[in-house]
Amino acid sequence: MRYDAIVIGGGPSGSSTAIALAQQGRAVAIVERAEFPRRKVCGEFISAVNLQLLDRLGVGDAVRANAGPAVERLALFASGPGIEAGMPRARINPFGRALGRDVLDTMLLQAARDVGVDVFQPWRAVEMAGAGEHKSIRIDASGQSCNLIAPVVIAAHGSWEPGKLPSNLKKTNDDLDCFGFKAYFRGAALASNLMPLLAFPGGYGGMVWTDQDRISLSCCMRRGALAEIRKAGGNLPVGQAVYRHILAACPGVALALADATIDGDWLAAGPIRPGIRPRYADDIFRVGNLAGESHPIIAEGISMALQSGWLLAAELGSVADWGQGGRAEAGRRYAKAWRKQFATRICLASVLAALAGLPPTADLMRRVVTLFPAALSLGARLSGKTRNVPRLAGSRHQA
Ligand SMILES: Cc1cc2nc3c(=O)[nH]c(=O)nc-3n(C[C@H](O)[C@H](O)[C@H](O)COP(=O)(O)OP(=O)(O)OC[C@H]3O[C@@H](n4cnc5c(N)ncnc54)[C@H](O)[C@@H]3O)c2cc1C
């Protein structure tokens, strides 16, 4: 089967790229290995500036109808009492909200189908062959196999899963590697408009009301710290050992979840791969986590996924043809626009993650925020929470 573009991965970055390209009249296929709806390790907060983009992608009203309450305040829950500050307001839609990834990702993929994208699900992209205008992606599902061919291949498969595609990242094994965890709770005693950042030895996390009256608690912990708490916790499953560690280190979390019940299991993922990577290499475009990933402490990964897909589609839409020269030109421009939009927040997130999880610096962070709660608001602003999405206002591609 032949397409203009094949997108590997149906998370927010893949769907956003595919929808925007289909809106330009391109023939697009998405390959997604998982069946939806599926839960995913993610805090699920979506910054306010994305609402306009979600409108363009055709899901803005559905997101507004389903997401949790507006997040108007931030807090730091570390040792000692919680410290609160205001969330900076964005210009058009002032405050962000959280939406379960089981809901959001399903909505976006359906929106892709609605604009004519062929969705291969649950199919896994396993191999790439060919070159130039005839790149061939082999996809597999329950013993079946077929090939999709296109000049443009977009890797949107995230950075956490291994594989044999040229865009899959190599494994790492370091004590500083971070693993992600997430669970939902019901019946929590947390103000509906508050999103606390959690800082505890060996890691950091966050809590927020998402859809369906559930709270998501997500966090990251270093490999070395995980090994220690698991040793101390006997045979507890890893998610529960992490939860016990957080409850002991952050009294604000213990208070908020004292009467809450867990909804489902703890999920784990990783190691996560913070950093900036090539956005176009070996004639493959990369979006979302694969192009570059921030430590989740700033809760900007969904924004970066949605926006990078949009940016790439805008650059591909602005070159006259998708031959070798056109692809290289779009790749060069996309890489530059991507860096301008996201590099600062990736660096900031790395600094904050290091400060939050290490014992002496975590205490320093708590003291600074105690004296200057506005530091929380400033951090949120610097992390891109109010930064407009380029090419949105004047774009000629209407949803
Ligand atoms: C603990 C934690 C908390 C977080 N909290 C937040 C938050 O509150 N707000 C926020 O904005 N971000 C948050 N993030 C980050 C956010 O989850 C990611 O940045 C985001 O999911 C990246 O989207 P993506 O589309 O690039 O990749 P993904 O969402 O990972 O999607 C990739 C898709 O590709 C599919 N896939 C993989 N391999 C293949 C293959 N070979 N063939 C076909 N399909 C394939 C997968 O099944 C998946 O559906 C958090 C992350 C962690 C770890």
Side-chain angles (χ1 to χ4, degrees):
M1 278 169 273
R2 223 189 145 82
Y3 292 91
D4 293 326
I6 301 164
V7 180
I8 304 171
S13 64
S15 291
S16 128
T17 318
I19 294 169
L21 289 176
Q23 287 170 349
Q24 295 171 20
R26 295 292 184 172
V28 185
I30 290 188
V31 188
E32 168 53 54
R33 67 159 189 78
E35 289 201 59
F36 286 3
R38 55 97 176 86
R39 291 183 174 185
K40 191 167 174 78
V41 174
C42 182
E44 308 181 331
F45 175 76
I46 308 172
S47 294
V49 289
N50 294 296
L51 269 167
Q52 252 184 308
L53 174 53
L54 290 162
D55 281 334
R56 284 299 185 91
L57 299 173
V59 297
D61 287 342
V63 168
R64 284 184 189 85
N66 287 279
V71 176
E72 298 166 348
R73 298 192 62 72
L74 293 160
L76 177 67
F77 283 5
S79 60
I83 308 147
E84 292 190 24
M87 173 70 97
R89 283 169 172 264
R91 203 164 49 85
I92 297 176
N93 302 287
F95 298 112
R97 298 161 68 180
L99 180 60
R101 292 293 299 272
D102 43 356
V103 181
L104 175 71
D105 292 16
T106 307
M107 273 178 191
L108 281 164
L109 208 50
Q110 184 54 45
R113 285 189 188 92
D114 293 345
V115 289
V117 173
D118 279 354
V119 178
F120 292 82
Q121 184 187 31
W123 286 76
R124 178 191 288 270
V126 289
E127 200 174 67
M128 186 173 143
E133 266 64 326
H134 305 284
K135 291 183 204 76
S136 171
I137 306 291
R138 184 162 70 82
I139 64 173
D140 286 1
S142 353
Q144 290 173 275
S145 185
C146 73
N147 287 298
L148 309 180
I149 296 168
V152 166
V153 170
I154 296 149
H157 50 70
S159 56
W160 306 338
E161 294 178 40
K164 292 186 179 151
L165 298 168
S167 46
N168 281 122
L169 301 180
K170 295 204 168 48
K171 275 189 173 176
T172 59
N173 191 345
D174 190 295
D175 260 12
L176 292 180
D177 285 344
C178 270
F179 288 82
F181 300 91
K182 176 259 195 63
Y184 288 118
F185 291 86
R186 291 185 186 274
L190 184 76
S192 65
N193 64 352
L194 186 70
M195 180 161 72
L197 161 70
L198 322 178
F200 50 84
Y204 59 84
M207 286 202 296
V208 68
W209 284 100
T210 177
D211 55 308
Q212 303 167 53
D213 294 325
R214 44 187 189 168
I215 266 193
S216 81
L217 192 170
S218 63
C219 63
C220 284
M221 253 193 109
R222 296 198 184 89
R223 192 192 291 271
L226 268 177
E228 280 172 31
I229 63 161
R230 291 198 78 183
K231 218 189 301 168
N235 287 329
L236 271 188
V238 62
Q240 285 178 35
V242 170
Y243 184 45
R244 201 171 71 160
H245 178 67
I246 295 175
L247 290 179
C250 304
V253 180
L255 206 60
L257 298 183
D259 295 322
T261 48
I262 192 163
D263 173 346
D265 295 324
W266 277 95
L267 304 179
I272 63 164
R273 316 292 285 271
I276 298 177
R277 294 178 270 275
R279 279 77 73 200
Y280 174 68
D282 306 325
D283 209 9
I284 304 172
F285 297 91
R286 277 101 163 147
V287 288
N289 267 11
L290 196 55
E293 186 171 354
S294 66
H295 264 282
I297 193 162
I298 60 167
E300 278 296 301
I302 301 172
S303 304
M304 290 169 50
L306 292 169
Q307 295 178 24
S308 60
W310 175 260
L311 283 180
L312 173 59
E315 295 303 351
L316 280 167
S318 67
V319 294
D321 81 84
W322 285 5
Q324 180 63 55
R327 293 195 300 273
E329 176 62 10
R332 196 184 55 73
R333 296 204 318 223
Y334 163 63
K336 197 169 160 201
W338 189 101
R339 182 171 277 279
K340 192 167 168 210
Q341 184 71 0
F342 304 123
T344 309
R345 72 188 84 177
I346 290 187
C347 298
L348 172 79
S350 294
V351 173
L352 291 178
L355 286 177
L358 298 174
T361 49
D363 196 48
L364 177 71
M365 185 178 189
R366 189 181 57 75
R367 281 166 199 242
V368 169
V369 174
T370 307
L371 286 174
F372 306 106
L376 279 176
S377 317
L378 178 67
R381 190 179 293 284
L382 292 177
S383 75
K385 298 257 171 309
T386 54
R387 186 176 177 136
N388 288 332
V389 184
R391 306 263 198 129
L392 204 49
S395 170
R396 59 198 162 89
H397 311 304
Q398 298 296 321

